[in-house]
Amino acid sequence: MNILVLGGGGREHALAWAIKQNPKCDRLIVAPGNAGIALIAECADLKAENGALVVRFCEENAIDFVVIGPEGPLAAGVADALRGAGIACFGPSAAAARLEASKAFTKEICDAVGAPTAGWARFDNATDARSYITDKGLPLVIKADGLAAGKGVVIPETIDEALDAVKAMFGGNYDAAGSTVVIEEFMQGEEASFFVLVDGETCLPIGTAQDHKRVGEGDTGPNTGGMGAYSPAPVLTEALQEQAMAQIIRPMMAEMARRGMPYQGVLYAGLMIDKEQTRLVEYNVRFGDPECQVLMMRLGAQALDLMLACAEGRLEGCRVNWADDHAITVVMAANGYPGAYEKGSEIRGLDDLTADSRNMVFHAGTKNDHGRVVANGGRVLNVTARANSLREAHARAYAMLDGIDWPGGFCRSDIGWRAL
Ligand code: AMP
Ligand code: GLY
């Protein structure tokens, strides 16, 4: 079959890498792709958020199945356009993608089924939000309702900081994302990510992971898109996974179907774990980046079969063939990230790193410049390894990093510290 993957980051490189290993895949196109993806798939220039253009591209290229990587095209209704044109597609409708695109919407669904989550209130003006903050006092978490590229959440340390956040959100700094503000109770605990495939009805867990959001060693410094991840996350035990399925995922997915917007795709649940209780922090309606890289490393070729079964409503009876293994990915980012950084510096030493099939370097922000691989983004490479233990995977990933010659980039040296 001919397959199109939308996106061009490390997540999409990992998706393409797994799909390519499955003999069902004849032709693989990734739009826009990147320098690493270009080594294993065709890359195409396509406006991924325009449903009509994506449908036309699929018809012209006889595409049988589309995998949508990032949230932008999902929130823009690209999955609806594809399914409307009779093209199989992995990813939720725009209506169901509101589980990521509106925090207030998700909280309402939580409340409708009694799913454990932080207490919350919603505001559509700054005056009410301000008096709520001064009444309640800290700790609180302040969130712009809509998609804000990971920048819409503020955990203020002072009341002034909280009031400033409200002002910025209502003041237009977040565009439409900030026209509604959600204020939440601050939850204590350890965070982990739980990934579940949902075909509208059946929910199938496909793994756990832990991300490292802060840029600095020991989880310090500003937030990023994620500096590294590993899977599985031991903190999410089998018992806690079953609890989250029973209390959060299954009832919420049933409520989505009941409301006429069945969810289809991967559901990425951010969970807070404290005293043997899981609570929902947030949903994303796509794979995490870089969490996808460790999940794909562990799932391999079966990822395509699972995504197809999900898209075709056949998840009931499907199972994941797990090896007893561990994967880790370390992000190399351009110096300066998540602040200002330069593009265009050359990266050397990538060629010989992946002779061992349990090693992989996924490309995130790279570009091919006349045969040289150059940095073309903030997060640039995902150095990834799989092994029988996290310790061994960790050692192999950091050994690969030693071989990469890129003075323009850096990584955290402590990825995996919680589990190690
Ligand atoms: P989000 O963009 O919703 O993932 O939030 C970003 C991060 O803020 C989460 O990954 C958590 O670390 C933190 N966070 C969000 N909501 C809460 C909460 N209610 N209590 C504690 N931490 C939170
Ligand atoms: N790594 C966090 C995310 O993909 O949202």
Side-chain angles (χ1 to χ4, degrees), residues 11 211 213 225-226 268 284 286-291 379:
R11 169 179 51 208
D211 189 9
K213 285 181 200 282
Y268 156 4
N284 294 303
R286 50 174 174 83
F287 281 109
D289 187 343
E291 293 92 327
R379 293 189 297 168

Side-chain angles (χ1 to χ4, degrees), residues 103 118 141 143 153 155 184-187 191 213 272 281-282:
K103 298 189 191 288
V141 181
K143 302 185 174 184
V153 175
I155 305 182
E184 291 182 10
E185 164 204 353
F186 178 84
M187 293 188 283
E191 257 183 288
K213 285 181 200 282
M272 191 69 83
V281 180
E282 56 151 8

Side-chain angles (χ1 to χ4, degrees), residues 212-297:
H212 300 65
K213 285 181 200 282
R214 305 296 194 95
V215 74
E217 313 282 317
D219 294 335
T220 55
N223 264 329
T224 69
M227 293 301 293
Y230 55 90
S231 172
V235 60
L236 260 180
T237 59
E238 291 283 335
L240 287 175
Q241 290 178 48
E242 189 36 56
Q243 183 195 81
M245 290 298 289
Q247 296 182 356
I248 301 172
I249 311 285
R250 282 195 291 261
M252 291 184 78
M253 293 302 103
E255 178 66 12
M256 292 293 286
R258 200 187 62 77
R259 293 187 184 201
M261 44 182 124
Y263 187 90
Q264 190 262 73
V266 63
L267 190 64
Y268 156 4
L271 300 175
M272 191 69 83
I273 302 142
D274 190 36
K275 302 188 189 82
E276 297 301 302
Q277 176 67 50
T278 51
R279 292 206 279 170
L280 182 70
V281 180
E282 56 151 8
Y283 282 129
N284 294 303
V285 299
R286 50 174 174 83
F287 281 109
D289 187 343
E291 293 92 327
C292 186
Q293 288 79 315
V294 283
L295 291 175
M296 290 304 130
M297 202 73 186

Side-chain angles (χ1 to χ4, degrees), residues 26-46:
D26 295 313
R27 185 171 175 211
L28 179 60
I29 306 179
V30 183
N34 61 36
I37 293 171
L39 300 173
I40 58 168
E42 298 168 52
C43 293
D45 194 14
L46 173 64

Side-chain angles (χ1 to χ4, degrees), residues 89-286:
C89 156
F90 179 78
S93 65
R98 288 181 72 210
L99 287 176
E100 176 166 356
S102 168
K103 298 189 191 288
F105 174 78
T106 302
K107 289 296 211 177
E108 274 165 32
I109 306 279
C110 279
D111 287 356
V113 299
T117 186
W120 68 291
R122 112 187 239 161
F123 299 91
D124 56 18
N125 68 81
T127 313
D128 292 347
R130 274 199 296 263
S131 50
Y132 183 86
I133 290 167
T134 39
D135 278 1
K136 284 264 176 184
L138 298 184
L140 289 171
V141 181
I142 302 176
K143 302 185 174 184
D145 183 61
L147 293 179
K151 296 180 182 71
V153 175
V154 176
I155 305 182
E157 289 182 358
T158 63
I159 292 281
D160 281 346
E161 209 183 307
L163 299 176
D164 285 349
V166 165
K167 189 170 165 198
M169 285 177 193
F170 283 117
N173 294 17
Y174 293 79
D175 297 329
S179 59
T180 297
V181 167
V182 169
I183 303 185
E184 291 182 10
E185 164 204 353
F186 178 84
M187 293 188 283
Q188 299 288 351
E190 185 169 346
E191 257 183 288
S193 306
F194 188 32
F195 295 85
V196 181
L197 295 185
V198 185
D199 68 2
E201 218 175 298
T202 301
C203 304
L204 179 71
I206 55 159
T208 61
Q210 220 160 9
D211 189 9
H212 300 65
K213 285 181 200 282
R214 305 296 194 95
V215 74
E217 313 282 317
D219 294 335
T220 55
N223 264 329
T224 69
M227 293 301 293
Y230 55 90
S231 172
V235 60
L236 260 180
T237 59
E238 291 283 335
L240 287 175
Q241 290 178 48
E242 189 36 56
Q243 183 195 81
M245 290 298 289
Q247 296 182 356
I248 301 172
I249 311 285
R250 282 195 291 261
M252 291 184 78
M253 293 302 103
E255 178 66 12
M256 292 293 286
R258 200 187 62 77
R259 293 187 184 201
M261 44 182 124
Y263 187 90
Q264 190 262 73
V266 63
L267 190 64
Y268 156 4
L271 300 175
M272 191 69 83
I273 302 142
D274 190 36
K275 302 188 189 82
E276 297 301 302
Q277 176 67 50
T278 51
R279 292 206 279 170
L280 182 70
V281 180
E282 56 151 8
Y283 282 129
N284 294 303
V285 299
R286 50 174 174 83

